[in-house]
Amino acid sequence: MADVSTPIPERGISRRLVEIIVSLMLMGVAALALWDSYGRGAGWDNGPENGFFPARVAWLLVIAALATLWSAFRREESVFVTYGQLRMVAQVFLPLFLYVLAIAFVGIYVASALFMALFMIMLGSFRWWQTLLAVVLTPLVIFWVFELQFRVPLPKGPIETMLGY
């Protein structure tokens, strides 16, 4: 007789929790919009005042957020995202966040080269020379297209400054 066991459900963040957090955040955004709209004037004095339409949209957002909150409390518990899936998202989000931060300090070209190298080495199965070629040529081509051909300046860092750009 074979042992038939029920599969163990994967652990993760519940859908109910995510919907509650999102609805509370929407209510916060709506509260800010209402505060600003009524500060500007949300009435109708010979026509709509500055905050009239934004206030109406914010009230609709409050209603939608309350409906989502009500629905979340009535919903059956289920997993929105497993911890394994969340780990995969973090593998992309964390380097992307660091990339955006690095642009301010080293410029877009160096930051892009480092970002590409990180992904090609960690997540891809590229040979070292393919990675090196991509990391060097891609920023150079982008520099040539944007800076020299289109004359669109992109954020630069100390290396570009040292080279006179």
Side-chain angles (χ1 to χ4, degrees):
M1 194 154 133
D3 180 25
V4 180
S5 59
T6 58
I8 300 171
E10 289 190 69
R11 294 177 34 101
I13 299 174
S14 77
R15 184 171 176 174
R16 178 181 294 161
L17 177 65
V18 171
E19 288 183 359
I20 290 170
I21 289 171
V22 168
S23 63
L24 292 175
M25 287 172 57
L26 286 175
M27 281 191 253
V29 168
L32 283 173
L34 286 169
W35 176 72
D36 185 59
S37 296
Y38 283 103
R40 294 173 185 271
W44 191 285
D45 185 28
N46 292 330
E49 293 179 332
N50 287 344
F52 181 81
F53 291 110
R56 296 323 179 259
V57 171
W59 280 116
L60 290 173
L61 189 58
V62 167
I63 292 167
L66 286 171
T68 302
L69 189 62
W70 174 258
S71 172
F73 282 117
R74 297 187 52 189
R75 178 177 304 284
E76 189 175 304
E77 197 65 37
S78 64
V79 174
F80 176 74
V81 63
T82 65
Y83 292 127
Q85 292 168 331
L86 211 51
R87 196 173 309 110
M88 287 173 33
V89 169
Q91 282 180 329
V92 174
F93 180 76
L94 186 62
L96 185 61
F97 178 76
L98 294 174
Y99 166 67
V100 171
L101 237 75
I103 290 173
F105 298 103
V106 296
I108 196 163
Y109 303 109
V110 173
S112 296
L114 294 172
F115 183 70
M116 286 173 45
L118 177 78
F119 269 90
M120 289 180 80
I121 290 168
M122 290 183 65
L123 301 177
S125 56
F126 296 95
R127 294 184 177 94
W128 69 268
W129 62 269
Q130 291 173 318
T131 301
L132 185 64
L133 198 62
V135 163
V136 170
L137 287 181
T138 303
L140 286 175
V141 168
I142 292 172
F143 181 84
W144 180 76
V145 168
F146 284 97
E147 301 283 341
L148 302 177
Q149 300 305 309
F150 293 151
R151 307 267 186 227
V152 175
L154 296 177
K156 293 175 198 61
I159 293 176
E160 293 89 352
T161 303
M162 186 178 65
L163 294 173
Y165 287 98

